[in-house]
Amino acid sequence: MSEATFIKGKVKPLEESISHLSSILSEVGFDIREGLTLNPVPGIHSLHIYENSCPGIFTNGKGASEKATLASALGEYLERLSTNYFFSDFWLESDFAASENDWLYYPNEKSYDRKNFKQMLNPELWRFYADLSHSEEYADFTEEDFEFDTFLSLNDHADQIRALPLMSQKTGETCYFPMNLLSNLYASNGLSAGNSALEAQVQGLSEVFERWVKNRILRENICLPLVPQDVLDQFPQVATAIAALQDEEIYTEVRDASLGGIFPVMNVTLFHQASGRCFASFGAHPIFEVALERTLTESLQGRHLKELDGFQTPSFDQFDVASDENIENHFIDSSGLIHSHFVSRDFDYEFVAWDFTGNVEQQWKHLCELVYQQGTDVFVANYNHYGFEACRIIVPGMSEVYPKHEIVDANQNFGRLLREALLTYPDHQDPLQIVDLIDQLGLSDHQGVASLIGLMADKGSFWAGINCLQLKFWCLLAAQEFEEALESLAGVWFFIDPNDKRYSIYKAFEFALEIMLDETSDGIQDTSAVQALFGNQVADKVLAHLDGSMQFWGAPTGIGIFSSAEQHQTMLKIYRNVNKFKQ
């Protein structure tokens, strides 16, 4: 008789889930490899898996056992395939032509033009997204101020808005959300997969509560009550893991983040007492034990005990802790600041031994009711393109990762405009147009060009390694604006490691430009100093830029930026292949 391992919160044994998930990915054409595997203490495992031909398409799993961790990683892989999250940051066309299908994401998406785009969403949702009153700059903003271009997709160049259907759980109404809105505000929050649609939905909505409650705790400077030891002792695997962490000089506190027994959220905070730093992790599920286990495994996912990235000394500055930037850091990797009050014993709530155990349908109804009590709604899109259930959940007012005003002033599709300028560069040959565009869009110096334009760049390539400030430098060089190019280099040193081979290249340019612009010299007549300092190969390229015979270090420009990127082309092949399963 084959082994069958059941864990709480899952309706099928782990062996069956792993077999099913693996067979699906194999049928779709994936060659999944296992990467970093960690088991720092008993009962805490994590695993990195990736597509062999395209390591940029990867997921990380966590669990209390090896099987649970593999199932977690495979489930997240299917989740991110089904919800398109693997492809959400990339350009999905080969040229300026429209998509090979009349759809880009799903066959049931809708496209809206400049005349009818206000038919998306519904009046209540339009009002919600237009309410930017928390931002002084947009205090008087209304839905009428939204422009069509605001909702165009980063992923293509079509002059139409692509919107996905999600169903209201309160009214049954289907509303079409522009993909641009989902990418800009929600990222992966609310994405989930499961053995059944409801199992996926419970997990997805639990994660929404996890992040929403955490944000509330950070913004309101709440101190959570400790879970009593006699309660922790009811879960031997958890108690064993905590004891093992203590043996490794990691002191662990478990706190009840339910805010008085209302929300199914837990907290685990790890303390590295030798350095006075700590790391707070949160997790959620209607079943207390499941929430606790997920929080504990999350705290050490992908982490060696000797590597304390993300550990911070608590802050006394409530403004910094509650800032949007700090909240975003907590979403990305939980590396944000926490307040000193959070780790105190000045509890703002009493411990409640909550547990919303019931069948999966009861769990779902309970979570939805909690949302309704906050005055909002749950919108769900279910997917089963590969014979496995996944979902996307949006809870307006609760599941936003980024502030709403970023739709207007930091929209992801600003990168689409930069991409268009770079793609057409071989035709217009106007590098200053690109410099002006970067300034007009208000792009930050540190923003990576590849991520802005939707390029999955090859490691070590020219386009993988430059940010907006460096792109401006290369454009100023191409325009032969040498004084401005030299001035721009003053900021480059903040973004590049001295051990990076590109550091010496920029130093070579700085040295050569200083000679060229020296009032006592007549350009670079004697190149021997540049050659002696940086070698003939680098010197020859630097001098070629100064005489105008080379641009962008000889890297591809125009469509070549994408066509020459092997990883991007592999990603496109995967995207087109998986789309066959969506028809």
Side-chain angles (χ1 to χ4, degrees), residues 49-317:
I49 64 172
Y50 61 93
E51 159 56 31
N52 186 45
S53 66
C54 192
I57 297 182
F58 68 89
T59 58
N60 298 300
K62 61 181 183 294
S65 67
E66 290 185 5
K67 288 181 180 179
T69 303
L70 177 57
S72 168
L74 292 170
E76 186 170 294
Y77 214 94
L78 263 297
E79 164 205 308
R80 300 199 166 195
L81 266 187
S82 294
T83 59
N84 282 310
Y85 192 71
F86 276 142
F87 313 111
S88 63
D89 292 332
F90 303 112
W91 188 38
L92 300 178
E93 298 171 321
S94 299
D95 50 39
F96 280 109
S99 170
E100 295 176 4
N101 306 300
D102 57 1
W103 51 272
L104 188 67
Y105 305 110
Y106 300 103
N108 65 347
E109 71 188 36
K110 275 190 178 181
S111 295
Y112 294 86
D113 58 28
R114 295 179 184 274
K115 295 179 180 179
N116 69 358
F117 79 99
K118 289 296 179 70
Q119 294 176 15
M120 297 185 303
L121 304 171
N122 64 25
E124 183 178 357
L125 288 169
W126 274 114
R127 286 191 295 273
F128 168 75
Y129 289 113
D131 181 8
L132 308 180
S133 55
H134 64 292
S135 170
E136 291 184 12
E137 185 178 356
Y138 301 103
D140 298 323
F141 195 88
T142 71
E143 55 262 41
E144 297 304 317
D145 294 314
F146 276 127
E147 298 179 355
F148 172 80
D149 290 354
T150 301
F151 300 105
L152 290 173
S153 168
L154 169 74
N155 308 115
D156 69 349
H157 282 290
D159 194 35
Q160 56 185 348
I161 298 168
R162 300 181 184 271
L164 310 184
L166 286 89
M167 179 181 291
S168 161
Q169 299 304 289
K170 187 184 292 185
T171 67
E173 175 190 13
T174 295
C175 295
Y176 283 82
F177 287 72
M179 186 63 184
N180 171 286
L181 186 69
L182 303 181
S183 298
N184 272 287
L185 296 187
Y186 299 99
S188 63
N189 199 16
L191 307 185
S192 190
N195 294 297
S196 68
L198 277 176
E199 183 180 289
Q201 290 169 211
V202 165
Q203 178 57 29
L205 192 48
S206 294
E207 290 179 2
V208 169
F209 273 106
E210 167 198 324
R211 288 150 181 164
W212 179 74
V213 168
K214 175 169 67 171
N215 293 350
R216 182 172 163 184
I217 290 166
L218 295 169
R219 293 192 191 279
E220 298 179 16
N221 196 12
I222 294 171
C223 179
L224 302 172
L226 289 167
V227 176
Q229 187 61 46
D230 62 334
V231 174
L232 294 177
D233 290 341
Q234 297 173 28
F235 312 108
Q237 196 165 21
V238 170
T240 299
I242 291 174
L245 284 168
Q246 183 68 53
D247 292 341
E248 297 289 340
E249 300 182 340
I250 302 291
Y251 172 62
T252 305
E253 287 185 347
V254 180
R255 295 183 182 239
D256 168 23
S258 68
L259 304 185
I262 300 174
F263 306 109
V265 185
M266 295 295 297
N267 161 257
V268 170
T269 303
L270 307 179
F271 295 83
H272 184 242
Q273 295 175 327
S275 64
R277 293 181 291 161
C278 61
F279 180 88
S281 178
F282 290 78
H285 191 275
I287 301 173
F288 184 95
E289 181 180 358
V290 175
L292 175 57
E293 181 183 286
R294 286 181 176 173
T295 310
L296 188 58
T297 55
E298 174 72 25
S299 66
L300 287 176
Q301 182 174 6
R303 186 188 301 281
H304 292 280
L305 290 181
K306 304 304 180 184
E307 296 177 0
L308 302 179
D309 293 342
F311 278 58
Q312 303 259 23
T313 299
S315 170
F316 290 88
D317 190 327

